[in-house]
Amino acid sequence: MHQLLYRSIANEEEFGDSDLDILLKALEFNAAKGITGYLWRGRGQFFQALHGPRVEVLPLMERISADPRHSEVEVLISEDGDAPSPFAEWAMGYDYVAEDVLGISLEEDNSRPMISPAKAREIWGKMIEQSHSEAEWGGASPYSRKPTESMDAWIKRLSAARGR
């Protein structure tokens, strides 16, 4: 199994159709490929954690890197391991991240702060915590799963939002 964490600069507005499209495609693709993960949307940034078979995760990362909906993709963690996925119930989770609380906000000039390996591990851990919290309590963003919402009901709600 392989785990990967990256950050990138979002080229589209927060919680717009682009984010919804990313999430719906990830839910379908990842479920078919045995990949789990979590996506954070911040003010101008994405952070995404992926966990799954190396032969699936690394080619997926190549496709993600080429996606025009974001730029300046930076891999923060990429390593093999045999641990079970910490995102087991998520083909892809999604929520908002309070970047300022973690000290990972864009600077005033829109440059990104340096993220050390220790900080990357902290982000990974916080994403795990948030994924577990969202599974139980729901998330804060418009595309997050709601409390007690089943995975099927969530995908149906997201798909209906896409067709609006």
Side-chain angles (χ1 to χ4, degrees):
M1 299 303 275
H2 195 78
Q3 59 187 31
L4 189 141
L5 172 68
Y6 76 87
R7 71 173 169 173
S8 63
I9 300 296
N11 292 336
E12 306 287 335
E13 71 179 68
E14 297 172 21
F15 313 119
D17 291 340
S18 175
D19 285 13
L20 183 58
D21 188 54
I22 289 168
L23 178 57
L24 283 167
K25 286 182 178 172
L27 283 165
E28 181 180 345
F29 180 87
N30 292 359
K33 300 295 184 177
I35 297 171
T36 60
Y38 206 77
L39 177 63
W40 269 349
R41 179 59 141 111
R43 291 180 302 251
Q45 295 186 90
F46 288 112
F47 288 84
Q48 185 171 19
L50 298 167
H51 185 279
R54 179 183 182 84
V55 299
E56 301 294 348
V57 170
L58 294 180
L60 172 59
M61 189 63 223
E62 287 180 30
R63 287 191 303 279
I64 288 170
S65 294
D67 191 317
R69 294 174 289 196
H70 64 162
S71 58
E72 299 181 44
V73 176
E74 179 185 6
V75 174
L76 303 170
I77 296 173
S78 183
E79 61 192 18
D80 290 331
D82 59 359
S85 175
F87 308 103
E89 63 181 276
W90 298 103
M92 184 52 58
Y94 177 96
D95 208 351
Y96 184 77
V97 60
E99 298 159 303
D100 51 336
V101 172
L102 290 173
I104 55 175
S105 297
L106 294 175
E107 306 292 346
E108 287 189 26
D109 65 358
N110 282 331
S111 64
R112 298 185 296 186
M114 283 281 291
I115 293 183
S116 68
K119 186 61 149 181
R121 295 259 175 239
E122 178 187 351
I123 293 166
W124 180 267
K126 294 291 185 185
M127 292 180 95
I128 293 168
E129 288 175 20
Q130 192 165 353
S131 74
H132 293 186
S133 176
E134 185 177 337
E136 185 172 353
W137 305 105
S141 83
Y143 301 144
S144 297
R145 218 163 94 196
K146 304 302 179 201
T148 71
E149 188 173 40
S150 71
M151 189 65 70
D152 288 340
W154 179 46
I155 292 171
K156 186 175 181 178
R157 177 172 58 84
L158 294 175
S159 296
R162 178 195 255 171
R164 56 177 172 223

